[in-house]
């Protein structure tokens, strides 16, 4: 069945139908219609899987996608236009251009935390670039997976094939030959995907996770900083790849945040977040146990909880929690991926940079500082998928910015025009008329005149500065 699905996707690609820009736009418009006409069905699935509020589902998944489609439809013509490039004098007359051509069939493997967005956003780029798509939703978000399997075939019958399932199905998929694989999830599976891709020499985009740090100093309004950090952290109950994972700051800044963060949490979710329709749930019992286990270990070791701390297994609920921690805390040994925010003391911005550079390169880094020197230091002395000043997570909403990680947080980026680049081949095209035959100078047999011309004009050495 999976083999047939992939063969069908390949047959559509090979038919040549996907090449014209009009076909691509038709698919994007169909996806847009699906998202609008079944907005309530998708929102209900997201509520069932993750307790997402419909407005948050629109902001971070469905509307996010329709905005990406609208932006792509508007700019696609310009993005896929062939780019002329100049030809060296020695080769003239001739024309050279870079042509973007589709790759073929793209496999998208999506995770459970933004189960609709992270499956369809890569698909938008792949379709816009003229490919067909085989997409596997996460089995850990079963309602969202079922909604995609129910509606996508109606709207995108030949463009996107949904393959539902878990590890066995993904393993079978990975045995097939694809022309690109876009995987979003954890680094352990990322390695499995990359190894499988290597067997077919298939290029990969790996969108992975990690611990995204926040640095805060006392040059900023800590009340607003706390509000923004709490918003980015506790959205989707902390199960966001670009969520702030932990906060670094001086003792004084952390003391003040220990007051402001609980206040911000109350502003966002009221005094009992378990009763707030805006506050999400852990995806499953395993995720609940993992995060409460980390918190319990640190509490047992004496970590002070300054907000939240309560949980309810039957409801997969973990309160928005803030805890004083150290580099040795259990919470600091792995990506938290839940609503617990450790505050870790550092002596200075330079110490924070050192702390970050001693660890894996994160997907995002957030800095709250008005100090020019501090901002420069974070910009030029750290490496991360993204760097944002003054607000976490929101860089995802800027269509002109690529989205992707570096090192352990992944490879390759996408979104909007970067998706076109990710899912296209840049074909070099040279067109040289046969007459006049200006190539004579580089044909053997060589002589002294040709030798001089080749050295001076055709491929000059350039000016070398001898020491
Ligand atoms: P997940 O468990 O849903 O896994 C993702 C996909 O991998 C699923 O479709 C699943 O079926 C497949 N899979 C799981 N085990 C497999 C195996 N052994 N072989 C083949 N396929 C397998 O999601 P997850 O990994 O728990 O997602 C959370 C992680 O993803 C976090 O680390 C998070 O930071 C990261 N993430 C990154 C981004 C990003 O865009 N960079 C976005 C969201 C999540």
């Amino acid at each position: 069945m999976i083999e047939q699905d992939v063969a069908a996707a390949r047959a559509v690609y090979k038919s040549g139908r996907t090449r014209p820009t009009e076909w691509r736009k038709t698919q994007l418009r169909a996806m847009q219609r699906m998202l609008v006409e079944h907005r309530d069905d998708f929102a209900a699935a997201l509520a069932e899987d993750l307790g997402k509020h419909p407005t948050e589902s629109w902001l971070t998944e469905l509307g996010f996608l329709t905005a990406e489609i609208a932006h792509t439809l508007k700019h696609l013509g310009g993005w896929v236009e062939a780019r002329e490039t100049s030809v060296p004098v020695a080769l003239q007359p001739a024309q050279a251009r870079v042509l973007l051509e589709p790759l073929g069939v793209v496999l998208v493997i999506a995770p459970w935390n933004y189960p609709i967005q992270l499956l369809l956003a890569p698909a938008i780029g792949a379709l816009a670039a003229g490919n067909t798509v085989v997409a596997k939703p996460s089995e850990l978000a079963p309602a969202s997976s079922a909604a995609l399997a129910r509606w996508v075939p109606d709207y995108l019958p030949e463009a996107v094939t949904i393959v539902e399932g878990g590890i066995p199905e993904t393993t079978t998929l990975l045995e097939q030959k694809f022309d690109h694989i876009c995987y979003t999830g954890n680094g352990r599976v990322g390695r499995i995907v990359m190894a499988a891709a290597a067997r077919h020499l298939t290029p990969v985009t790996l969108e992975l996770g990690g611990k995204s740090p926040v640095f805060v100093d006392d040059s900023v309004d800590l009340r607003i900083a706390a509000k923004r950090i709490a918003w980015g952290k506790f959205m989707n109950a902390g199960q966001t790849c670009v969520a702030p994972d932990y906060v670094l700051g001086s003792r004084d800044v952390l003391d003040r945040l220990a007051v402001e963060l609980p206040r911000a949490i109350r502003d966002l979710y009221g005094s009992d977040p378990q009763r707030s329709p805006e506050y999400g749930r852990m995806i499953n019992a395993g995720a609940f146990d993992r995060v409460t286990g980390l918190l319990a270990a640190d509490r047992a070791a004496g970590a002070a909880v300054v907000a939240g701390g309560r949980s309810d297994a039957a409801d997969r609920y973990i309160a928005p929690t803030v805890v004083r921690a150290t580099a040795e805390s259990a919470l600091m040994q792995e990506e938290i991926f839940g609503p617990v925010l450790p505050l870790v003391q550092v002596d200075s911005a330079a110490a924070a940079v050192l702390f970050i550079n001693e660890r894996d390169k994160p997907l995002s880094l957030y800095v709250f500082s008005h100090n020019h020197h501090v901002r420069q230091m974070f910009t030029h002395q750290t490496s991360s998928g993204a760097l944002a000043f003054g607000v976490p997570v929101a860089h995802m909403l800027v269509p002109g910015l690529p989205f992707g990680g570096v090192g352990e947080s992944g490879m390759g980026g996408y979104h909007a025009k970067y998706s076109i680049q990710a899912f296209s081949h840049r074909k070099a095209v040279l067109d040289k008329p046969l007459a006049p035959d200006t190539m004579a100078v580089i044909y053997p047999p060589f002589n002294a005149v040709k030798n001089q011309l080749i050295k001076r004009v055709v491929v000059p050495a350039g000016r070398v500065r001898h020491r």
Side-chain angles (χ1 to χ4, degrees):
M1 186 60 187
I2 285 178
E3 287 83 348
Q4 277 106 301
D5 283 342
V6 179
R10 186 161 301 286
V12 173
Y13 175 71
K14 281 199 164 163
S15 74
R17 287 205 287 292
T18 72
R19 300 232 168 194
T21 314
E22 210 34 57
W23 182 90
R24 310 176 190 191
K25 288 186 170 174
T26 303
Q27 310 312 312
L28 297 184
R29 288 193 199 102
M31 191 191 290
Q32 194 171 31
R33 265 202 324 279
M34 174 185 79
L35 290 164
V36 171
E37 290 173 4
H38 295 287
R39 168 189 177 145
D40 293 344
D41 298 311
F42 287 119
L46 291 165
E48 193 177 327
D49 286 330
L50 289 145
K52 280 191 199 187
H53 188 278
T55 306
E56 184 177 313
S57 289
W58 186 258
L59 179 71
T60 62
E61 303 227 32
L62 311 173
F64 179 95
L65 290 164
T66 56
E68 172 94 355
I69 292 172
H71 182 74
T72 303
L73 284 171
K74 188 167 167 202
H75 297 284
L76 185 60
W79 291 340
V80 298
E81 225 166 53
R83 297 260 180 272
E84 301 284 330
T85 185
S86 62
V87 175
V89 178
L91 271 181
Q92 287 176 11
Q95 281 188 326
R97 61 188 197 279
V98 182
L99 201 65
L100 289 182
E101 66 176 24
L103 295 169
V105 185
V106 174
L107 172 64
V108 176
I109 305 176
W112 50 265
N113 62 332
Y114 288 84
I116 313 272
Q117 192 231 111
L118 292 171
L119 183 126
L120 292 179
I124 291 170
L127 295 176
N131 304 280
T132 55
V133 174
V134 174
K136 207 215 63 82
S138 175
E139 68 279 20
L140 301 182
S144 304
S145 178
L148 288 162
R150 167 69 189 85
W151 298 114
V152 169
D154 279 5
Y155 288 81
L156 298 155
E158 61 170 14
V160 180
T161 307
I162 300 288
V163 175
E164 281 195 283
I167 296 174
E169 289 76 11
T170 317
T171 306
T172 306
L173 274 171
L174 288 172
E175 285 161 5
Q176 316 304 309
K177 182 170 168 54
F178 290 95
D179 301 289
H180 193 97
I181 300 177
C182 179
Y183 167 80
T184 305
N186 66 74
R188 184 185 61 77
V189 177
R191 286 167 167 82
I192 295 173
V193 170
M194 199 168 171
R199 287 198 289 275
H200 295 292
L201 268 189
T202 300
V204 292
T205 301
L206 298 180
E207 299 290 339
L208 311 178
K211 292 177 84 64
S212 294
V214 182
F215 172 75
V216 187
D217 72 18
D218 61 5
S219 66
V220 297
D221 182 327
L222 290 178
R223 180 166 294 191
I224 297 176
K227 188 76 169 269
R228 293 189 182 177
I229 294 167
W231 168 74
K233 174 72 185 184
F234 299 115
M235 147 195 319
N236 202 24
Q239 301 162 112
T240 302
C241 54
V242 287
D245 188 273
Y246 62 94
V247 177
L248 297 172
S250 68
R251 185 191 189 118
D252 171 55
V253 165
L254 297 190
D255 284 347
R256 288 157 64 194
L257 284 177
V259 176
E260 294 298 347
L261 282 165
R263 192 199 308 264
I265 292 167
R266 268 196 310 281
D267 286 353
L268 294 169
Y269 303 111
S271 53
D272 182 5
Q274 191 167 9
R275 293 171 57 183
S276 162
E278 268 96 19
Y279 189 65
R281 294 296 182 268
M282 300 305 286
I283 184 72
N284 55 31
F288 174 90
D289 290 345
R290 188 182 56 78
V291 176
T292 50
L294 293 173
L295 182 60
D298 284 342
R299 278 180 134 169
V305 171
V306 299
R310 228 175 56 71
S311 58
D312 177 353
D315 190 22
R316 288 181 280 130
Y317 167 78
I318 301 177
T321 297
V322 181
V323 55
R324 298 297 282 254
T326 68
E328 286 70 42
S329 301
L331 284 162
M332 290 302 292
Q333 309 313 311
E334 61 185 81
E335 182 182 2
I336 297 169
F337 224 55
V340 180
L341 182 66
L343 308 179
V344 178
Q345 191 182 318
V346 285
D347 290 338
S348 61
V353 167
L354 206 64
F355 190 98
I356 291 161
N357 288 343
E358 280 169 347
R359 290 165 172 76
D360 291 334
K361 292 181 180 180
L363 188 55
S364 305
L365 168 56
Y366 304 118
V367 176
F368 290 80
S369 175
H370 288 314
N371 181 311
H372 176 71
H373 172 68
V374 168
R375 293 163 69 102
Q376 289 293 102
M377 199 162 64
F378 278 99
T379 305
H380 299 297
Q381 295 178 25
T382 65
S383 176
S384 51
L387 167 67
F389 294 100
V391 65
V393 181
H395 59 285
M396 304 268 307
L397 295 170
V398 182
L401 290 177
F403 177 58
V406 56
E408 276 291 320
S409 56
M411 62 183 71
Y414 72 113
H415 281 181
K417 82 167 178 197
Y418 295 98
S419 291
I420 304 293
Q421 293 176 10
F423 301 118
S424 300
H425 165 59
R426 289 189 298 274
K427 183 153 76 181
V429 179
L430 177 67
D431 185 352
K432 181 162 174 59
L434 285 144
D437 190 9
T438 51
M439 303 282 288
V441 69
I442 62 172
Y443 298 149
F446 299 121
N447 56 35
V449 177
K450 285 186 178 183
N451 190 25
Q452 283 306 315
L453 274 169
I454 287 171
K455 282 190 179 156
R456 299 223 166 137
V457 183
V458 183
V459 275
R463 226 194 267 163
V464 177
R465 292 192 188 174
H466 295 287
R467 270 176 293 169

